[in-house]
């Protein structure tokens, strides 16, 4: 598709992920599976936020490039289709940096300091010095990432809905100061709440790379089965003869997300009557996971390195064209260069 063929008939959505390496089932169920569904209804922009990787991992950048490739492959493996969605890399669209800088001029420091994750992450990642301007400013860069595509919606789960609020506030402030021909330039995007089922990791906590409890989208079958074997269960089920409760068991949570309803009946019945053992139950859960992962892994293997590079180039070029449309309006509204006439 050329840079100029940008569909405008459907509402636009935008979302992205940091290149943290291979994605896991929590990323898949919490975001990617929903993004895949959105592709037919919306004009979708999905990006890899490589500049955001620097906000916490600025000292060692050696993994960013390989991680970008892995994340893009996982996007494609999940079913994102470059013919339907614009898949792009943040750093290939320099307009994000320009808008971040301009929005930084109008955003009060206090708005960023009060973002809950600012203090939380500084405490959680105490081994890193996160007292940088980049880390404080990452929600602002996020706002620029979103607003530069003038999307109607940002698909997020419940836990991230608050993040979009800052973006809306920044847009409101910009629109109060600057207008173009009396019109607002940066529409306030709405949250598009997407279902994100509870997906525990192998230790029972939320599946997260930082806890080391993930099942990756790329894990081969024996690894999935091994990880399931070590997964924690209902603590009340100490002996094989003790009845348990799938509602208090992380393995039960996996069944609820991935198993068919007939299987769920067997799990509830077998667990509550001690009719099945946890090993058997975990085997069933592993069967369900392997079934979900097989087509994903097959799709991943079908892409060559050259195709991946081309998809990212093409998507980034389309994203640049769209971002520049916004920047032309932003610069004109702010009466700041480079103006169109400066380029001649
Ligand atoms: S039988 Fe299944 S649901 Fe019940 S405690 Fe064991 S692993 Fe969990």
């Amino acid at each position: 598709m050329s840079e100029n063929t940008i569909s405008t008939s459907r509402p636009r959505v935008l979302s992205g992920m940091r290149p943290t390496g291979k994605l896991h089932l929590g990323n898949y169920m919490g975001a990617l599976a929903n993004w895949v569904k959105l592709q037919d209804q919306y004009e979708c922009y999905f990006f890899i936020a490589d500049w955001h990787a620097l906000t916490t991992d600025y000292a060692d950048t050696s993994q960013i490039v390989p991680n970008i490739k892995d994340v893009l492959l996982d996007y494609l493996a999940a079913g994102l289709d470059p013919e339907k969605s614009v898949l792009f890399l943040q750093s290939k669209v320099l307009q994000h940096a320009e808008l971040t800088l301009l929005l930084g001029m109008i955003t009060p420091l206090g708005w960023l300091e009060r973002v809950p994750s600012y203090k939380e992450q500084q405490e959680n990642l105490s081994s890193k010095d996160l007292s940088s301007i980049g880390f404080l400013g990452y929600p602002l860069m996020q706002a620029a990432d979103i607003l530069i595509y003038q999307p109607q919606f940002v698909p997020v789960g419940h836990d991230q809905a608050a993040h979009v609020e800052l973006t809306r506030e920044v847009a409101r402030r910009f629109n109060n100061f600057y207008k173009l021909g009396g019109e607002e330039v940066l529409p306030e995007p709405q949250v598009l709440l997407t279902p994100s089922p509870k997906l525990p990791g192998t230790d029972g906590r939320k599946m997260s790379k930082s806890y080391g409890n993930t099942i990756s989208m790329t894990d081969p079958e024996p690894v999935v089965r091994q990880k399931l074997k070590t997964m924690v269960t209902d603590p009340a089920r100490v002996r094989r003869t003790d009845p348990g409760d799938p509602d208090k068991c992380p393995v039960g949570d996996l069944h609820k997300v991935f198993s068919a309803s007939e299987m769920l009946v067997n799990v509830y019945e077998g667990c509550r009557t001690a009719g099945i053992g946890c090993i058997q139950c975990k085997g069933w859960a592993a069967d369900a996971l392997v079934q979900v992962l097989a087509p994903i892994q097959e799709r991943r293997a079908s892409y060559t390195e050259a195709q991946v590079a081309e998809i990212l180039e093409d998507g980034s070029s389309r994203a640049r064209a769209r971002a520049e449309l916004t920047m032309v309006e932003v610069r004109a509204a702010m009466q700041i260069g480079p103006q169109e006439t400066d380029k001649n």
Side-chain angles (χ1 to χ4, degrees):
M1 204 180 284
S2 85
E3 286 193 11
N4 298 323
T5 51
I6 294 168
S7 148
T8 51
S9 54
R10 289 174 291 168
R12 196 175 303 130
V13 304
L14 171 117
S15 202
M17 285 187 198
R18 283 159 46 123
T20 48
K22 287 181 176 144
L23 300 179
H24 54 74
L25 276 174
N27 303 125
Y28 177 67
M29 292 309 297
L32 290 177
N34 289 316
W35 294 3
V36 172
K37 289 186 201 144
L38 297 176
Q39 293 185 112
D40 294 316
Q41 260 178 291
Y42 297 92
E43 183 192 346
C44 293
Y45 285 75
F46 298 121
F47 73 110
I48 300 172
D50 54 341
W51 279 333
H52 281 278
L54 294 173
T55 59
T56 51
D57 294 315
Y58 52 85
D60 178 5
T61 53
S62 59
Q63 292 312 300
I64 294 179
V65 168
N67 286 351
I68 289 167
K69 202 182 96 195
D70 269 328
V71 171
L72 183 63
L73 272 169
D74 281 333
Y75 280 9
L76 296 166
L80 290 184
D81 179 349
E83 293 295 317
K84 294 180 182 171
S85 296
V86 180
L87 308 178
F88 69 98
L89 184 63
Q90 183 191 29
S91 65
K92 284 184 183 284
V93 185
L94 294 177
Q95 287 84 347
H96 286 236
E98 184 184 359
L99 188 58
T100 303
L101 180 134
L102 294 178
L103 295 179
M105 300 298 171
I106 65 164
T107 303
L109 206 52
W111 287 13
L112 299 175
E113 285 167 339
R114 72 163 196 238
V115 171
S117 55
Y118 177 59
K119 286 238 150 47
E120 264 167 43
Q121 286 216 47
Q122 275 190 328
E123 280 158 23
N124 291 346
L125 302 172
S126 54
S127 58
K128 292 176 184 167
D129 179 4
L130 295 182
S131 56
S132 66
I133 291 171
F135 183 67
L136 176 69
Y138 90 83
L140 184 67
M141 183 153 62
Q142 231 168 28
D145 295 336
I146 296 169
L147 295 174
I148 205 163
Y149 297 95
Q150 297 171 316
Q152 282 84 349
F153 298 104
V154 184
V156 289
H158 263 292
D159 51 340
Q160 304 139 13
H163 293 188
V164 181
E165 197 43 48
L166 178 78
T167 301
R168 291 166 53 82
E169 279 178 278
V170 171
R172 221 173 295 148
R173 191 164 166 89
F174 181 95
N175 293 330
N176 277 338
F177 287 137
Y178 318 108
K179 295 215 169 22
L180 189 59
E183 299 286 323
E184 294 187 346
V185 170
L186 300 177
E188 286 177 46
Q190 307 290 321
V191 164
L192 184 67
L193 269 188
T194 52
S196 44
K198 182 181 171 198
L199 202 75
T202 48
D203 60 0
R205 292 185 290 177
K206 185 181 170 181
M207 192 178 286
S208 162
K209 212 160 191 180
S210 45
Y211 295 145
N213 64 0
T214 60
I215 297 167
S216 293
M217 288 167 65
T218 43
D219 278 346
E221 180 170 347
V223 175
V224 173
R225 293 196 181 279
Q226 185 53 38
K227 284 185 177 175
L228 260 288
K229 271 186 195 151
T230 63
M231 189 149 180
V232 296
T233 58
D234 176 0
R237 222 180 156 195
V238 181
R239 288 175 296 264
R240 166 70 179 78
T241 48
D242 294 333
D245 183 353
D247 288 335
K248 295 179 181 152
C249 173
V251 181
D253 287 332
L254 286 187
H255 273 296
K256 278 179 240 168
V257 177
F258 295 107
S259 291
S261 46
E262 311 85 67
M263 175 54 75
L264 261 186
V265 172
N266 293 340
V267 170
Y268 272 91
E269 160 89 20
C271 179
R272 286 177 170 161
T273 59
I276 57 168
C278 290
I279 292 173
Q280 184 174 13
C281 183
K282 288 172 167 185
W284 290 344
D287 292 344
L289 290 193
V290 166
Q291 221 177 349
V292 169
L293 289 174
I296 292 176
Q297 294 178 355
E298 218 170 283
R299 222 175 289 129
R300 196 181 209 274
S302 71
Y303 286 96
T304 63
E305 286 220 6
Q307 280 173 317
V308 169
E310 198 186 316
I311 287 166
L312 207 56
E313 272 310 320
D314 180 55
S316 301
S317 147
R318 290 160 67 192
R320 256 194 317 273
R322 186 65 197 76
E324 181 57 19
L325 291 180
T326 304
M327 287 314 298
V328 167
E329 294 180 4
V330 165
R331 293 178 205 122
M334 291 184 82
Q335 302 181 62
I336 194 87
Q339 297 293 339
E340 287 298 277
T341 46
D342 296 343
K343 294 177 189 164
N344 299 327

